Amino acid sequence: MAGYRRQLYRDDAVVLRVQKLGESDRIITLLTRRHGRLRAVARGVRRTTSRFGARLEPFGHVDLQLAGDPKGNLGSSLHTVSQVEGIDLYGKRFLGDYPRYTAASAIAETAERLTPVEREPSLRLFQLTLGALKSLARGEHATTLVLDAYLLRGMALAGWAPALTACAVCGTPGKHRAFSVPAGGTVCPDCRPPGAAHPAPASVDLMSALTTGDWAYADATETGVRRECSGLVAAHLQWHLERALRSLPLVDRGASASGTVPPPGGAGPGVVPPRAGAGPAAAGVNRENA
């Protein structure tokens, strides 16, 4: 557009992803506090002489000056990073810690999937993402608990929270034993569809604890309960996203506890994403016969 000059504005953001562009540039995917998810070009950051290349690595909390239209009405959809200051570069603390790095990767990928529209403000998701990365960096809780708490609360913000204290179909209150991903959570005996999962009550209780922030209960749970809970959470999330998360199968969830059904497919640690058309079968939990 003739005569158009890109305006400058500031915001703080979490770096979700970086991509190479040309010989020395990168495209940075950011989740900002006031402007939602956006992409910006960081010129020359791959050069050894770059002034702020190290500050634009994944999982960092940064303060930026960006050039472009914050509403996206004019010019290119790609903004340009003109200044950046590191507030807390959490990624540096994860580089030598595989469990925390993979959990942070899953958090960043989920945040990007939960913001399908660029420049749509999502303050609560920004705060949730930043808080999860802070908790991972501080080592306050087990990495899998932090990740599952983030996924559950992120789904709640998106309107996909699983029903845990009432039947997802008829609304009958109570702690029901069956769990159906397509139905939306726990289901009573009358509403239980064929192939519904039959998790241990402690696994459903853990999901409730992570949703409400009852960390005293969550921290006291056993590995087997956590793995089963993770399977349910991952299956529920990916069902609603209608697409598997690439980072979830890489998450290190620890040794399998006695009596726990391993994730199907034998593809290593973590939860295997559901195949197209497979529905809840990839949850990695015990299932009742139809």
Side-chain angles (χ1 to χ4, degrees):
M1 180 180 295
Y4 168 62
R5 296 183 63 184
R6 309 182 84 188
Q7 66 183 91
L8 298 176
Y9 66 99
R10 298 196 74 88
D11 205 345
D12 65 308
V14 173
V15 179
L16 301 180
R17 183 161 57 100
V18 299
Q19 300 167 270
K20 292 180 180 179
L21 178 66
E23 295 183 357
S24 60
D25 305 338
R26 278 180 177 166
I27 297 176
I28 314 296
T29 301
L30 303 159
L31 181 60
T32 67
R33 183 182 297 272
R34 291 180 291 275
H35 300 92
R37 180 179 61 83
L38 55 84
R39 296 180 302 152
V41 176
R43 303 198 181 280
V45 295
R46 292 163 55 199
R47 298 187 184 129
T48 56
T49 56
S50 172
R51 293 177 298 169
F52 50 75
R55 303 170 197 167
L56 290 173
E57 293 295 331
F59 321 132
H61 182 203
V62 295
D63 180 77
L64 302 129
Q65 179 173 275
L66 299 165
D69 178 18
K71 295 184 179 180
N73 297 324
L74 299 171
S76 171
S77 62
L78 283 176
H79 297 215
T80 301
V81 177
S82 58
Q83 292 181 8
V84 58
E85 295 292 336
I87 298 175
D88 208 329
L89 306 180
Y90 302 116
K92 293 182 178 180
R93 310 184 201 179
F94 303 152
L95 292 179
D97 191 322
Y98 179 82
R100 288 200 292 174
Y101 183 87
T102 51
S105 298
I107 288 170
E109 184 180 358
T110 302
E112 189 171 355
R113 295 285 180 85
L114 292 178
T115 51
V117 180
E118 289 192 10
R119 290 180 295 276
E120 185 174 277
S122 184
L123 176 59
R124 293 178 65 187
L125 183 62
F126 170 82
Q127 293 173 330
L128 180 65
T129 304
L130 182 58
L133 293 175
K134 282 183 180 179
S135 183
L136 283 179
R138 295 171 180 171
E140 298 172 337
H141 309 284
T143 57
T144 55
L145 295 180
V146 175
L147 172 60
D148 290 336
Y150 175 83
L151 299 181
L152 285 165
R153 297 178 192 185
M155 285 190 285
L157 293 178
W160 306 332
L164 301 174
T165 58
C167 176
V169 178
C170 68
T172 302
K175 294 184 178 180
H176 304 294
R177 292 295 307 276
F179 189 98
S180 172
V181 171
T186 57
V187 288
C188 67
D190 294 335
C191 299
R192 179 180 66 86
H198 193 261
S203 299
V204 179
D205 290 342
L206 177 56
M207 293 176 69
S208 297
L210 294 175
T211 301
T212 59
D214 186 356
W215 288 104
Y217 178 89
D219 289 336
T221 54
E222 299 179 351
T223 302
V225 171
R226 296 179 185 182
R227 286 177 63 86
E228 190 171 52
C229 171
S230 296
L232 293 170
V233 172
H236 193 85
L237 172 67
Q238 293 176 120
W239 175 271
H240 286 283
L241 289 176
E242 299 182 348
R243 185 178 174 186
L245 291 176
R246 293 174 297 177
S247 53
L248 272 183
L250 304 177
V251 176
D252 185 354
R253 299 188 182 275
S256 182
S258 176
T260 302
V261 178
V271 178
V272 178
R275 301 182 300 277
V285 295
N286 295 319
R287 287 170 289 277
E288 294 179 340
N289 294 325

